[in-house]
Amino acid sequence: MKVVHGTIEGPFSAEEDIVIHGMITAGATLREGVKLILHGMITGNLVIEPQARAVIHGIVNGAILNYGGRVELFGTADAVADRSPDAVTVVDPTALVREQRDTRNVV
């Protein structure tokens, strides 16, 4: 699994399993079958493709849009939306979803 410390200029597309301890600017997409562990921050939306997995201990300053993967949120996000019946999203009781907003038109 690749480990990144520092800043990744986005929009970023994760094509391999990755651990982020820094920041991704302008959003990120987690490709099918890829795992992300976030201890840092994503500015912008995080898109989860089918069969991808995200474990969020850090901050997503945007919406988490789950299109059929698995999301485990332990940190903070602006919003969370399951966009597929196959999407699994688990929000830990200690996690913070800042606002419950309509994310149907967010891409």
Side-chain angles (χ1 to χ4, degrees), residues 4 8-9 23-24 32-33 39 48 62 73-74 76 89:
V4 175
I8 298 172
E9 299 297 328
M23 176 185 286
I24 299 173
E32 185 172 337
H39 292 283
I48 311 298
L73 179 61
F74 299 95
T76 303
T89 300

Side-chain angles (χ1 to χ4, degrees), residues 7-41:
T7 301
I8 298 172
E9 299 297 328
F12 175 71
S13 178
E15 308 284 339
E16 63 183 322
D17 294 352
I18 189 167
V19 178
I20 303 290
H21 290 279
M23 176 185 286
I24 299 173
T25 65
T29 299
L30 190 54
R31 296 292 178 205
E32 185 172 337
V34 174
K35 181 177 181 180
L36 164 72
I37 300 174
L38 178 68
H39 292 283
M41 178 186 294

